[in-house]
Amino acid sequence: MRTLVLWDVDHTLIDAGGVSAGIYASVFERLIGGPPEKVAAMAGRTDLAITTETLRHHGIDPTPALLASFTAALAETFATRSHEIAARGRVLPGAHAALKALAARPDVIQSALTGNMEQIARVKLTAFGLTDLFDLDVGAYGMDGVERPPLVRLAQQRASGKYGDAFTASNTVLIGDTPHDVRAGHEGGARVVAVATGATTAPALRLSGADLVLNDLTDTPNVIRAILPI
């Protein structure tokens, strides 16, 4: 039986160097005509939710047409500024080794479950040379829904459609750094390994209900045991 391993991206695998908030603000100003009072909280949330909340905070109706224009502009701007992500950001310690070890296993299908829309996830992972370690076609992304839990089932369906295996909570693992990731896994149907590499502490991740909590990804054998305990 193969295991579907779904990784969050920001603050689990990489730190984008603070580029994301600045890009949101620049796109808002370009499309709306002035700087935003604030950009909605990003950690653990989808691009669809962040964009919708940011627009509503400013009294702007997030119509389908406006959301399409806004998110297309986001994707384009991330692509044109990918060099900034590479220069200002970094791969978090141990992440590359863990991804490489899992990618080499025939019993693992490795993809992303992230609040980033697919185009942005690909830009970030490409900036750090990580894209080839994933099958991103079977991931789930920030324009697939407002909330994260349904994204787990969507990724399972995409992986089942491509590989023919049935993916359920018994053979799906989600790795992330926020309580949103933990809730997504438990409500969506996955075991959750949380890593305290973002803003949420290890004790808080345990309280949120993560099945297992790691301080970071630096001990590759331990990471693999956490993800594939059998």
Side-chain angles (χ1 to χ4, degrees):
M1 179 184 294
R2 284 185 282 197
T3 298
L4 178 62
V5 177
L6 299 171
W7 290 91
D8 176 53
V9 174
D10 291 296
H11 305 294
T12 298
L13 295 173
I14 70 161
D15 179 342
V19 172
S20 298
I23 289 178
Y24 260 91
S26 69
V27 168
F28 184 98
E29 184 166 7
R30 174 152 53 97
L31 294 184
I32 307 303
E37 292 179 2
K38 75 168 189 176
V39 174
M42 293 183 173
R45 305 181 69 213
T46 66
D47 278 330
L48 183 56
I50 296 163
T51 302
T52 298
E53 184 178 319
T54 299
L55 291 169
R56 283 181 174 154
H57 174 80
H58 295 85
I60 300 166
D61 183 16
T63 64
L66 179 55
L67 284 172
S69 296
F70 200 104
T71 53
L74 281 175
E76 178 186 358
T77 306
F78 267 94
T80 59
R81 294 175 62 177
S82 61
H83 61 287
E84 292 183 41
I85 297 172
R88 292 170 53 181
R90 64 191 177 109
V91 179
L92 294 181
H96 185 270
L99 291 170
K100 187 175 180 181
L102 288 166
R105 295 184 60 127
D107 58 341
V108 168
I109 297 163
Q110 184 163 242
S111 194
L113 193 142
T114 171
N116 293 294
M117 68 180 77
E118 183 176 355
Q119 300 95 315
I120 293 174
R122 288 182 181 273
V123 166
K124 289 179 177 179
L125 294 171
T126 300
F128 299 110
L130 301 176
T131 310
D132 291 344
L133 300 174
F134 295 87
D135 182 350
L136 293 174
D137 292 340
V138 302
Y141 303 95
M143 292 305 293
D144 287 325
V146 173
E147 297 292 332
R148 292 174 81 107
L151 302 187
V152 176
R153 185 62 193 139
L154 180 58
Q156 290 169 331
Q157 291 169 346
R158 287 172 172 167
S160 294
K162 182 169 182 177
Y163 292 97
D165 297 16
F167 294 103
T168 66
S170 67
N171 61 341
T172 304
V173 183
L174 188 155
I175 307 101
D177 66 286
T178 74
H180 293 289
D181 298 303
V182 177
R183 183 172 71 88
H186 286 167
E187 294 182 12
R191 191 167 63 85
V192 180
V193 176
V195 285
T197 46
T200 307
T201 64
L205 290 168
R206 291 188 187 95
L207 285 174
S208 72
D211 296 289
L212 190 64
V213 177
L214 303 173
N215 289 325
D216 54 40
L217 300 174
T218 55
D219 184 340
T220 302
N222 189 45
V223 172
I224 304 307
R225 283 192 297 270
I227 295 171
L228 305 170
I230 299 175

